[in-house]
């Protein structure tokens, strides 16, 4: 894709890096975000399969330190 390559070269030039370094950084960031999405999905599935009971929430709410008004 020519437009993507040109945009990549411009971004590399603006950040004073070569194209390879820019692509490596972009890939690292993409993989980090992908891992976060996977972990969030895992947590979401876990919480939806075992919803918190109201009584269980009340126990933790009693432990919370609320600021004085």
């Amino acid at each position: 894709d020519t437009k993507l390559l040109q945009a990549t070269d411009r971004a590399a030039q603006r950040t004073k890096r070569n194209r390879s370094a820019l692509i490596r950084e972009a890939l690292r960031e993409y993989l980090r975000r992908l891992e976060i999405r996977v972990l969030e999905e895992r947590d979401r599935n876990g919480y939806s399969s075992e919803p918190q009971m109201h009584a269980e929430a009340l126990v933790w709410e009693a432990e919370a330190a609320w600021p004085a008004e």
Side-chain angles (χ1 to χ4, degrees), residues 1-68:
D1 190 327
T2 305
K3 288 184 179 182
L4 182 58
L5 183 59
Q6 289 171 347
T8 302
D9 287 339
R10 284 192 305 272
Q13 213 171 27
R14 278 194 312 270
T15 58
K16 295 182 173 46
R17 286 181 275 189
N18 63 36
R19 186 190 306 155
S20 295
L22 182 73
I23 292 171
R24 278 193 304 273
E25 182 182 334
L27 185 55
R28 280 188 195 105
E29 180 64 20
Y30 174 79
L31 294 172
R32 185 186 69 79
R33 289 179 184 202
L34 184 62
E35 180 64 18
I36 289 170
R37 283 198 305 264
V38 167
L39 294 173
E40 287 174 344
E41 181 67 22
R42 183 201 63 190
D43 291 349
R44 200 171 11 264
N45 289 339
Y47 283 116
S48 66
S49 69
E50 298 272 340
Q52 187 178 40
M53 304 304 291
H54 181 68
E56 186 180 3
L58 290 176
V59 170
W60 288 109
E61 197 169 297
E63 293 294 321
W66 299 102

